[in-house]
Amino acid sequence: MKKLRIIFMGTPEFAVPSLERLVDAGYNIVAVVTAPDKPSGRGLQMNESAVKKYALSKGLKILQPEKLKNPAFINELKELNADLHVVVAFRMLPEVVWNMPPMGTINLHGSLLPQYRGAAPINWAIINGEKETGVTTFKLQQEIDTGNILLQQKITIGDEENAGELHDRMKEIGADLLLQTINELVNKNLKETEQTQTSSLNSHSLRHAPKIFTETCEIKWEKSVDEVYNLIRGLSPYPTAFTFLKGKKLKIFNVQKEITNIKENPGELITDSKTYLKFSCNNGYISLKELQLEGKKKMYVEDFLRGWRM
């Protein structure tokens, strides 16, 4: 383990347990590559990534290139002479980077590839009403999320589980799978499997996980209760599904669903102004539990209704 030279690449909280597992196992992390610090908040203070904060706590060498094709960065990678690159929740790598180490580059992805290739696999699995997802380790190649699979582990999605809760489970399960993958690579026990051999699905049956934009997050009340319910779960707590109330954006974090015959048109609001606030869909109601009106803080519906009137 100490002889194997690894460069770890990752940025958000999802990647931290993976790096932590490798450090705790005694692997030689010769450098950590993460996003540059960015100004945030009212004071525009420089904010360090979650991976950088952990790497600093362990005294690891940190690289924060603005551009991954920068010659100075490429040369620094070459000088580190890594045997293996490990990528968890990072930017798309140029070939000169992922093809550099002799053992290649391993990526941890939050889906059962080849399903849900793309930037937001956790969100889209819930939005689409999946009952099962998983994590996959695979070898990077040119086309995004298409390399040979190393290991996979299935994960059941709870009926009420939101994207944040699933994310927190998957980052730990994924970290364990990544450590197992590298251990078995070291012991030469792994066999790579082409993604075309892992599924009988054709290209028309594959579901994708593109980046989520604002228009994805706006609720369309004419859809079914289940579709709206899954959209809200799949976008909670971030970037959050929303609608409009008296011209102001209303973010919705937690709801209950009720499938029943309705008299109202889709999108109509129903409330007793004390305990419940719900919107009609085409086959029932979505009852709000946690919400945030533009300009206000996040709160439970009962607290919101005390200070708001129709």
Side-chain angles (χ1 to χ4, degrees):
M1 290 183 180
K2 292 182 179 180
K3 289 182 179 180
L4 185 70
R5 298 175 62 82
I6 296 175
I7 293 177
F8 185 92
M9 303 180 185
T11 294
E13 183 62 37
F14 187 85
V16 173
S18 292
L19 177 57
E20 185 176 29
R21 295 292 196 284
L22 298 182
V23 170
D24 290 347
Y27 278 106
N28 182 17
I29 309 300
V30 296
V32 172
V33 182
T34 191
D37 299 348
K38 294 182 178 180
S40 63
R42 291 184 179 180
L44 293 179
Q45 294 183 338
M46 297 304 288
N47 186 42
E48 299 170 337
S49 74
V51 165
K52 180 180 178 181
K53 291 175 182 177
Y54 175 79
L56 284 171
S57 73
K58 296 298 180 180
L60 301 173
K61 180 180 178 65
I62 298 169
L63 303 177
Q64 295 178 276
E66 289 283 352
K67 296 181 179 180
L68 298 178
K69 291 183 179 180
N70 184 300
F73 170 65
I74 299 299
N75 288 334
E76 192 162 13
L77 286 184
K78 290 178 179 178
E79 290 173 1
L80 288 167
N81 196 30
D83 301 297
L84 178 70
H85 289 173
V86 175
V87 179
V88 183
F90 195 59
R91 290 176 277 173
M92 186 174 178
L93 300 181
E95 183 174 359
V96 67
V97 174
W98 61 256
N99 203 29
M100 185 182 297
M103 291 179 65
T105 297
I106 293 175
N107 189 195
L108 171 67
H109 188 72
S111 80
L112 294 174
L113 291 174
Q115 290 286 14
Y116 293 106
R117 293 170 178 155
I122 297 174
N123 305 95
W124 283 107
I126 295 179
I127 291 171
N128 288 334
E130 302 287 1
K131 301 297 183 183
E132 184 179 76
T133 184
V135 285
T136 302
T137 52
F138 70 101
K139 284 283 191 75
L140 276 187
Q141 63 181 34
Q142 190 63 46
E143 298 298 323
I144 189 168
D145 298 336
T146 60
N148 290 349
I149 289 173
L150 299 171
L151 291 176
Q152 290 187 317
Q153 183 168 337
K154 293 181 179 180
I155 300 169
T156 300
I157 302 174
D159 291 339
E160 299 180 359
E161 192 168 24
N162 67 30
E165 294 163 344
L166 181 58
H167 166 281
D168 290 348
R169 287 202 298 130
M170 288 179 71
K171 70 181 182 182
E172 301 294 341
I173 296 170
D176 291 337
L177 188 73
L178 179 67
L179 178 60
Q180 180 187 349
T181 300
I182 296 176
N183 286 343
E184 294 192 20
L185 276 177
V186 169
N187 294 321
K188 299 181 179 180
N189 291 332
L190 272 188
K191 180 181 178 181
E192 298 181 22
T193 304
E194 291 184 11
Q195 289 195 34
T196 53
Q197 297 175 5
T198 63
S199 173
S200 60
L201 297 172
N202 58 43
S203 59
H204 298 292
S205 303
L206 291 176
R207 288 187 160 181
H208 299 280
K211 184 178 180 180
I212 292 172
F213 295 96
T214 302
E215 53 266 29
T216 308
C217 303
E218 184 171 358
I219 298 169
K220 296 176 176 59
W221 297 107
E222 66 272 15
K223 291 190 173 183
S224 71
V225 166
D226 282 334
E227 286 176 299
V228 174
Y229 179 71
N230 291 336
L231 178 74
I232 293 168
R233 288 195 303 133
L235 297 175
S236 181
Y238 181 84
T240 318
F242 70 88
T243 189
F244 289 95
L245 188 61
K246 289 187 175 181
K248 291 188 176 182
K249 181 182 282 190
L250 180 69
K251 292 183 176 181
I252 302 174
F253 297 90
N254 188 20
V255 297
Q256 287 183 336
K257 62 179 180 177
E258 178 185 354
I259 297 176
T260 185
N261 294 326
I262 66 167
K263 298 177 181 178
E264 301 83 5
N265 293 320
E268 287 193 32
L269 182 151
I270 304 98
T271 181
D272 65 353
S273 297
K274 293 180 180 180
T275 59
Y276 71 83
L277 176 67
K278 58 186 181 181
F279 287 91
S280 56
C281 298
N282 71 11
N283 65 333
Y285 302 100
I286 291 291
S287 184
L288 279 56
K289 296 302 176 184
E290 286 185 271
L291 50 88
Q292 183 178 12
L293 189 63
E294 185 178 338
K296 303 290 184 178
K297 65 180 182 179
K298 179 181 176 181
M299 62 184 75
Y300 292 108
V301 68
E302 295 86 355
D303 298 325
F304 173 78
L305 289 172
R306 288 192 192 102
W308 181 84
R309 291 294 178 265
M310 288 285 286

